[in-house]
Amino acid sequence: MKVSGSKVIFPIMYVDDILLATNNLGLFHETKKFLSSNFEMKDMGEASYVIGMKIFCNRSQELLGLSQKAYINKVLERFRMERCLASPVPI
């Protein structure tokens, strides 16, 4: 994580993949330029899925979220529990 005033960027790494999340487009391009000058990399564009989680973004509401619904459904199918009934669970 890098913070510069109100600008922040989160480099999220998984094995050999890097996902950048930021609130400032200039900082994003600066970080991407730095990384590409020091490492061989390929820009895959805007992410929609990462490690089994769906990423959703609403820029007008400044909202970023993650969902594991697809992964959960896959696990339920694997154990033949896709027809089970949901119930509230306190966290």
Side-chain angles (χ1 to χ4, degrees):
M1 180 172 85
K2 178 180 179 183
V3 179
S4 177
S6 62
K7 301 173 191 175
V8 63
I9 189 162
F10 296 93
I12 299 122
M13 293 171 244
Y14 181 74
V15 186
D16 62 349
D17 294 326
I18 298 174
L19 180 69
L20 298 174
T22 183
N23 65 348
N24 183 275
L25 201 53
L27 183 58
F28 170 77
H29 290 299
E30 178 187 325
T31 304
K32 197 165 102 173
K33 184 178 177 180
F34 170 80
L35 290 171
S36 65
S37 67
N38 289 287
F39 304 99
E40 184 179 328
M41 46 183 272
K42 181 178 176 183
D43 187 347
M44 303 293 288
E46 195 168 306
S48 58
Y49 274 88
V50 64
I51 56 171
M53 291 182 278
K54 181 178 179 175
I55 302 169
F56 55 92
C57 178
N58 184 328
R59 287 184 173 83
S60 64
Q61 294 182 344
E62 297 182 345
L63 179 68
L64 179 65
L66 300 172
S67 171
Q68 287 188 295
K69 183 178 180 178
Y71 175 74
I72 291 167
N73 288 335
K74 186 177 176 180
V75 170
L76 289 172
E77 286 176 21
R78 179 179 173 198
F79 292 100
R80 298 186 186 117
M81 294 184 64
E82 63 270 13
R83 295 179 190 236
C84 68
L85 300 176
S87 65
V89 177
I91 295 177

